[in-house]
Each structure stands twice: as C-alpha cells, then as structure tokens.
Amino acid sequence: MVVRTAETTAEKLISGVDLLEMGNIGRCELVAGRIVMRSPTGDQHGSVEGNFYDVLRSFVRPQRLGVVRVGEVGIYTRRNPDTIRAADVLYISYDRYTQRTARAFLDVAPELIVEVMSPDDRWTDMNRKLQEYFAIGVKLVWVAEPDSRTVYAYRSITDVREFTERDTLPGDDVLVGFSIPVAAPFAE
C-alpha cells in the first residue's frame, strides 16, 4: 500500500533562480512558479518585433535615454511564487536600469513594453500580462496585431488607444518626441 501525504503530492514551485539554472529549456514564461512552454514565434512575428526594436533603438541610443532589449526578455512581475513574463521588446531608462539587482531577469519595470500578437496568442492571456505589467510600474504597453496591422497603446488596463496603419504612433511622455507611422513596424 502506498500512502500519499500532502508533502509527496504537492507540486514544487520553482523560482526565477531555478529557471535560470535550468539553462536554455526553450521559449517559456514562469507563471506563479510553474513553467509555461510557448511555441516559437513565426516569421511575421519576428519581423514586426525586429522592426520595433530598430526604430526604438535608433531613437533611444543617440539620446542616451536608456536601453532597448528584444527577444523574449524576462521580467519579474511577481515574487513568491515567482512570475517572469517574456517581453518581445522593451525600453527601460538608465535611471530604472541601474536599480536592477537580479542576475539575469529584470527585477525593475521598464517604462515601455511592446508585445506582438502571434496567431496562437489569446487576448485573455494578454489582458493578464497587461495587468501584471501595470502592477509593477510599466507606463506604456504597445500591443501589435500583425493581422489587422493595428497597434493598441495601453496606459493602463482601461486606458487604451487604437492606431491603424494610417496613423502615427506616439511615444507619449515615455519617449518624448518619438513617433513612427504605424505601417512601419509591419513592413517586410
């Protein structure tokens, strides 16, 4: 007879440090201490992501405003149990960047995050991520929808503006003076 106790059947949650020590296990996020595997991004997703990185970096770098990162950058949105979200592109000012203490994943909120929707992404999951981003102090999130060539600019979960490819996307007070035609990130 096998006796199961709460100790033997309880799931062991992992931390951000545990995830880092696992090495490259593939595209994933850590949600409440559990690894959530994600499919690799597609060609179109990569193109849009890269285009956003290029335009943001060419604005931020010459002015020495901060850093721009691309490629599923891990950001702590919760601790104990840890949640680490993977942002497609982000901008973080030098002021915030110098406050980080974690070894690999950002433990300080960037000012701007860009999320590119993939065909298998669900808006309910994106909404959850948006809530987490704003809870840690992110000021602006751009959600790019390649199929409709639209960017949704969120200042909070309830403050959202829709920009179509005929519009110009502003950097607001996060990147003062920045703007690009919405069509630009969707160009091949």
Side-chain angles (χ1 to χ4, degrees):
M1 173 185 349
V2 177
V3 177
R4 297 195 187 272
T5 64
E7 185 176 292
T8 60
T9 59
E11 177 183 11
K12 181 183 181 312
L13 301 179
I14 68 167
S15 68
V17 172
D18 296 331
L19 180 62
L20 179 62
E21 290 174 353
M22 291 177 180
N24 186 3
I25 63 169
R27 190 168 175 256
C28 69
E29 291 183 320
L30 185 65
V31 180
R34 294 171 183 87
I35 295 173
V36 177
M37 299 306 294
R38 301 191 38 125
S39 299
T41 61
D43 178 57
Q44 183 182 35
H45 183 286
S47 176
V48 173
E49 186 176 299
N51 290 342
F52 268 111
Y53 172 76
D54 287 345
V55 296
L56 286 169
R57 188 166 186 252
S58 6
F59 181 83
V60 168
R61 194 172 209 195
Q63 297 185 59
R64 299 181 181 186
L65 300 174
V67 296
V68 178
R69 298 289 188 248
V70 66
E72 307 298 322
V73 179
I75 305 165
Y76 280 98
T77 61
R78 181 179 167 195
R79 295 290 193 142
N80 300 318
D82 291 352
T83 295
I84 299 173
R85 292 301 188 167
D88 291 325
V89 182
L90 64 83
Y91 156 72
I92 184 169
S93 66
Y94 283 129
D95 182 49
R96 286 191 182 192
Y97 192 67
T98 59
Q99 297 174 32
R100 72 195 192 290
T101 60
R103 187 171 120 206
F105 306 119
L106 287 177
D107 60 350
V108 178
E111 281 89 345
L112 168 68
I113 292 177
V114 181
E115 291 286 355
V116 180
M117 296 292 285
S118 294
D120 63 334
D121 285 338
R122 295 187 327 230
W123 276 100
T124 54
D125 295 333
M126 182 57 67
N127 190 48
R128 192 172 307 113
K129 283 178 91 167
L130 289 167
Q131 290 173 5
E132 291 174 28
Y133 288 154
F134 292 119
I136 63 169
V138 172
K139 294 181 176 182
L140 180 62
V141 179
W142 293 336
V143 179
E145 175 61 73
D147 289 342
S148 64
R149 300 173 70 87
T150 302
V151 176
Y152 299 92
Y154 287 84
R155 301 290 306 202
S156 73
I157 200 69
T158 57
D159 181 357
V160 60
R161 293 166 292 157
E162 179 180 343
F163 295 90
T164 67
E165 63 184 326
R166 297 179 311 273
D167 299 322
T168 299
L169 181 65
D172 295 340
D173 60 340
V174 173
L175 289 172
V176 176
F178 174 87
S179 67
I180 58 164
V182 171
F186 300 110
E188 293 296 319

